[in-house]
Amino acid sequence: NELPFNRAVGTTYEPGSVFKVLTMAAALDAGVVTPETTMLDTGYFMIGGVAIRNWDRGARGPVDMTSCMRYSLNVCLAWIANEMGPTRFYEYMHRFGIGQSTRIDLSGEGNFPLATPGDANWYEVNLGTNSFGQGVAVTPIQMLTAINAVANHGKMVAPHLVRSVIQDGEERHTQPSVIGTPISAQTAETLSEMLAISI
């Protein structure tokens, strides 16, 4: 059964925990946390009058930021986003291209706007849930484009499907192009080390 579109480009989904990489990248880059920063995981975090809980309903006590990633702690990421504040958090998500088209060279790219403070459909609790990838929608290619900044020394590279075109008998290769630098090279290196330890 053939689909009329490419799901990786045309279908949005709620990314969930993979989004935590972007939240941690933003917090590290903004200087809000370091890998050694600790927080007390009591099993819940109140934000916007709603209790955010971990995926396993557990509590791990004092944890550093590497442990937050290792154990995929919703409570920790919500705390981090709250420490950043909505202005900085959403500024970084925009830098990562969340809620924006990647302009990949394939038709039918999907996109879902990112709700931010001031929008009718944004509530304070969104800051908490968005931090761990709930209440936000991306296409797989948008998520890959954003996260490639971590593996690419802070540089976000435009995605392409077309490697080259032949015009008038001459082959022209698609050249890599940087479409943004949402985080510094140092932040990317620090986070890569944290994620390697977390495996």
Side-chain angles (χ1 to χ4, degrees), residues 103-105 141 157-163 174-177:
R103 298 190 178 137
I104 190 169
D105 41 14
I141 199 68
V157 178
H160 289 287
L161 288 176
V162 177
R163 188 176 123 192
T174 301
Q175 297 299 317
S177 60

Side-chain angles (χ1 to χ4, degrees), residues 24 27-28 31-38 64-66 190 194:
M24 186 62 76
L28 289 166
V32 172
V33 298
T34 70
E36 296 76 31
T37 299
T38 59
D64 64 15
M65 296 299 102
T66 301
T190 299
M194 290 169 65

Side-chain angles (χ1 to χ4, degrees), residues 4 10 21 27 36 66-67 81 86 89 91 100 102 104 106 108 112 122 124 134 146 150 155 164 167 170 173-174:
V21 174
E36 296 76 31
T66 301
S67 295
F89 176 80
E91 177 186 308
Q100 303 160 48
T102 65
I104 190 169
L106 187 70
F112 194 87
W122 187 87
E124 190 181 346
Q134 292 185 7
V150 178
K155 295 175 183 172
S164 63
Q167 186 176 17
E170 185 180 336
H173 291 276
T174 301

Side-chain angles (χ1 to χ4, degrees), residues 8-10 13 15 18-19 21-22 25 92-106 109-111 138-161 176-183 188:
V9 172
Y13 75 109
V18 69
F19 205 83
V21 174
L22 303 185
Y92 270 96
M93 295 310 110
H94 283 299
R95 284 193 207 177
F96 278 116
I98 304 304
Q100 303 160 48
S101 296
T102 65
R103 298 190 178 137
I104 190 169
D105 41 14
L106 187 70
E109 182 174 10
N111 188 38
V138 296
T139 62
I141 199 68
Q142 285 171 334
M143 198 69 227
L144 285 168
T145 301
I147 284 192
N148 89 41
V150 178
N152 202 34
H153 311 291
K155 295 175 183 172
M156 205 162 63
V157 178
H160 289 287
L161 288 176
S177 60
V178 175
I179 55 175
T181 309
I183 55 174

Side-chain angles (χ1 to χ4, degrees), residues 27-172:
L28 289 166
D29 198 70
V32 172
V33 298
T34 70
E36 296 76 31
T37 299
T38 59
M39 64 86 62
L40 181 62
D41 175 14
T42 61
Y44 72 95
F45 180 74
M46 296 298 296
I47 186 165
V50 178
I52 301 292
R53 299 188 184 280
N54 289 320
W55 61 272
D56 63 355
R57 299 284 182 171
R60 286 184 173 78
V63 289
D64 64 15
M65 296 299 102
T66 301
S67 295
C68 283
M69 299 304 283
R70 175 183 290 130
Y71 301 117
S72 194
L73 302 177
N74 297 345
V75 166
C76 181
L77 276 294
W79 174 81
I80 288 169
N82 190 64
E83 290 293 300
M84 289 186 75
T87 301
R88 270 195 295 193
F89 176 80
Y90 290 107
E91 177 186 308
Y92 270 96
M93 295 310 110
H94 283 299
R95 284 193 207 177
F96 278 116
I98 304 304
Q100 303 160 48
S101 296
T102 65
R103 298 190 178 137
I104 190 169
D105 41 14
L106 187 70
S107 64
E109 182 174 10
N111 188 38
F112 194 87
L114 177 65
T116 57
D119 293 342
N121 59 340
W122 187 87
Y123 303 92
E124 190 181 346
V125 68
N126 288 49
L127 179 61
T129 59
N130 291 173
S131 73
F132 51 89
Q134 292 185 7
V136 60
V138 296
T139 62
I141 199 68
Q142 285 171 334
M143 198 69 227
L144 285 168
T145 301
I147 284 192
N148 89 41
V150 178
N152 202 34
H153 311 291
K155 295 175 183 172
M156 205 162 63
V157 178
H160 289 287
L161 288 176
V162 177
R163 188 176 123 192
S164 63
V165 294
I166 296 175
Q167 186 176 17
D168 299 326
E170 185 180 336
E171 186 175 13
R172 298 180 186 187

